[in-house]
């Protein structure tokens, strides 16, 4: 198959990573790097030979060999740039968050559906080998019904000047949650509590709690003020349990054949619940150490060629935005539960 032409919009923090992965992928031919700062764009693209540089998105979209664009600009510009690209018939990969608001995110999803183009959100963590394996385990039913998910993402700093800890750190965990949970265990509502003990003017410590369909629960702890860095997620299933420690390269993923079983027996005309504990083997699967962003650009190309939604499509980006906005509303109301929309909870296979 011939490589697909692609342009990267934005040459700042994340753009160079996209440029590197598109340029080294056999599925793509990088044609443009577009940025208001053309010197910065040239610095990113200069060693790639025939890649052109411009500050004008219109020049990129007028190139008939550009099948897709990847947008790596500040979130406030995502809606305008994505809509212009969709209107030009281009497939679009958007750096997270999908948009600045859920209302704008919904516009992008609707526009892409109407135009028949692929809209994908770059939820990079979802393409790590560990999270891909967790998704396989949850969607295949191997670990059973999801009983709980407990996720911790904490470290010392950096306190952001424009967003709180929820919008800074929680998108990673929420996108992973959305990716690994089958639709029958999707979140129903969000309860959030935040604290600003250092008077930064925004929450620096936050806790999110989400009841799940099927009776389970998800909990996320995010923190800018921890003396240690922790990136750990525990997924409890009725058959098996998973521990993912992203800071442990020698054993990132552990799968435990452990669980709790409840049975009932009649006694004196009353039902007595008996608790038994199953303790089996632990397996640490061998996982390839591959760059997650390589998986992102490969999935983008495959979705376009196969005419299907990407695994982290625009709808998944919209669901994450809705969870973030629900968290902000809940925190502002002192931890009141905020329901999530009931429609659109199906996840791509």
């Amino acid at each position: 198959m011939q490589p697909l032409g692609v342009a990267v919009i934005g040459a700042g923090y994340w753009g160079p990573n996209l440029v590197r992965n598109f340029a080294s992928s056999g599925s793509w031919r990088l044609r443009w790097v577009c940025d208001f700062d053309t010197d910065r764009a040239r610095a990113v693209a200069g060693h790639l030979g025939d890649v052109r540089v411009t500050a004008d998105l219109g020049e990129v979209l007028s190139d008939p060999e550009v099948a897709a664009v990847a947008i790596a600009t500040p979130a406030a510009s995502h809606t305008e740039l994505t809509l212009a690209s969709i209107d030009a018939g281009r497939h679009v990969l958007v750096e997270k968050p999908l948009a600045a608001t859920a209302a704008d995110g919904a516009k992008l999803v609707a526009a892409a559906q109407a135009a028949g183009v692929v809209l994908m959100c770059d939820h990079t963590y979802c393409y790590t080998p560990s999270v891909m394996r967790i998704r396989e385990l949850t969607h295949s039913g191997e670990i059973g019904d999801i009983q709980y998910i407990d996720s911790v993402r904490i470290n010392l700093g950096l306190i952001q000047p424009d967003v709180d800890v929820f919008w800074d750190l929680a998108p990673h965990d929420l996108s992973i949650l959305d990716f690994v949970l089958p639709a029958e265990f999707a979140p129903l509502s969000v309860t959030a509590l935040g604290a600003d003990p250092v008077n930064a003017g925004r929450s620096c410590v936050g806790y999110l709690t989400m009841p799940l369909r099927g009776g389970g629960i998800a909990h996320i702890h995010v923190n800018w003020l921890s003396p240690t860095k922790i990136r750990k997620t525990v997924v409890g299933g009725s058959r098996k349990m998973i521990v993912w420690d992203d800071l442990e390269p020698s054993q990132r993923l552990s799968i435990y054949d452990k669980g709790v079983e409840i049975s009932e027996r009649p006694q004196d005309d009353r039902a007595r619940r008996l608790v038994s504990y199953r303790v089996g083997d632990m397996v640490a699967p061998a996982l390839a150490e591959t760059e997650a962003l390589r998986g992102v650009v490969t999935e983008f190309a495959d979705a376009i060629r196969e005419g299907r939604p990407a695994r982290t499509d625009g709808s998944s980006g919209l669901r994450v935005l809705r969870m973030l906005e629900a968290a902000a509303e809940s925190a502002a109301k002192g931890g009141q539960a905020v329901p999530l929309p009931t429609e659109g909870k199906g996840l791509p296979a």
Side-chain angles (χ1 to χ4, degrees):
M1 291 181 289
Q2 291 295 318
L4 298 166
V6 66
V8 172
I9 314 302
Y13 170 72
W14 197 244
N17 295 318
L18 287 168
V19 166
R20 175 171 49 81
N21 277 274
F22 278 121
S24 62
S25 171
S27 297
W28 295 99
R29 181 188 173 196
L30 181 64
R31 293 187 57 79
W32 295 87
V33 176
C34 178
D35 194 282
F36 286 130
D37 186 340
T38 53
D39 289 337
R40 181 167 61 184
R42 287 190 186 92
V44 171
H47 66 290
L48 297 175
D50 62 345
V51 177
R52 286 173 279 183
V53 168
T54 184
D56 182 6
L57 177 62
E59 189 175 6
V60 172
L61 298 179
S62 66
D63 181 351
E65 294 191 35
V66 171
V69 300
I71 296 174
T73 61
S77 64
H78 286 183
T79 299
E80 179 182 358
L81 295 174
T82 303
L83 285 176
S85 301
I86 291 172
D87 288 344
R90 273 30 177 216
H91 306 284
V92 187
L93 172 67
V94 186
E95 171 55 22
K96 62 184 182 299
L98 178 64
T101 67
D104 282 344
K107 292 178 184 176
L108 300 184
V109 171
Q113 290 175 344
V117 299
V118 170
L119 174 63
M120 179 175 174
C121 197
D122 180 10
H123 291 158
T124 312
Y125 269 103
C126 296
Y127 296 90
T128 61
S130 296
V131 176
M132 293 289 285
R133 179 62 65 88
I134 294 172
R135 177 185 168 92
E136 291 175 7
L137 294 166
T138 56
H139 280 252
S140 69
E142 183 173 342
I143 70 167
D145 294 338
I146 307 299
Q147 297 175 333
Y148 66 88
I149 294 182
D150 195 12
S151 187
V152 180
R153 185 174 299 273
I154 64 177
N155 58 269
L156 190 62
L158 295 168
I159 295 175
Q160 301 296 322
D162 54 345
V163 294
D164 63 17
V165 71
F166 292 115
W167 279 84
D168 180 38
L169 297 182
H172 301 300
D173 302 277
L174 293 174
S175 63
I176 292 168
L177 189 76
D178 183 77
F179 189 70
V180 304
L181 282 178
E184 60 267 29
F185 302 109
L188 296 170
S189 64
V190 178
T191 298
L193 287 173
D196 178 19
V198 296
N199 296 317
R202 60 196 59 84
S203 292
C204 297
V205 181
Y207 298 86
L208 291 168
T209 302
M210 290 168 284
L212 308 176
R213 286 181 177 179
I217 193 168
H219 183 261
I220 296 172
H221 174 201
V222 287
N223 188 342
W224 283 330
L225 307 180
S226 169
T228 59
K229 184 175 182 178
I230 301 174
R231 300 282 187 270
K232 183 175 286 188
T233 299
V234 181
V235 182
S238 58
R239 297 193 185 99
K240 295 182 180 180
M241 301 178 181
I242 305 168
V243 177
W244 171 38
D245 188 343
D246 196 42
L247 301 184
E248 183 52 68
S250 63
Q251 187 176 318
R252 294 192 193 275
L253 203 64
S254 304
I255 304 168
Y256 294 84
D257 186 9
K258 294 184 178 183
V260 176
E261 297 176 352
I262 307 293
S263 60
E264 296 182 358
R265 71 179 183 184
Q267 181 175 330
D268 299 329
D269 297 326
R270 298 173 63 182
R272 180 181 178 184
R273 293 180 179 272
L274 298 179
V275 179
S276 62
Y277 298 91
R278 185 185 70 260
V279 180
D281 294 333
M282 185 279 288
V283 176
L287 300 172
E289 289 291 329
T290 58
E291 185 177 3
L293 197 52
R294 172 57 64 90
V296 172
V297 301
T298 299
E299 171 67 8
F300 189 33
D302 289 348
I304 292 170
R305 289 193 168 111
E306 295 169 16
R308 59 168 175 83
R311 286 180 170 179
T312 52
D313 62 357
S315 294
S316 70
L318 176 56
R319 288 192 295 270
V320 171
L321 283 172
R322 285 173 170 165
M323 286 187 275
L324 286 168
E325 289 191 346
E329 181 180 348
S330 175
K333 294 179 177 179
Q336 178 179 324
V338 176
L340 293 168
T342 56
E343 78 281 359
K345 289 184 180 289
L347 301 178

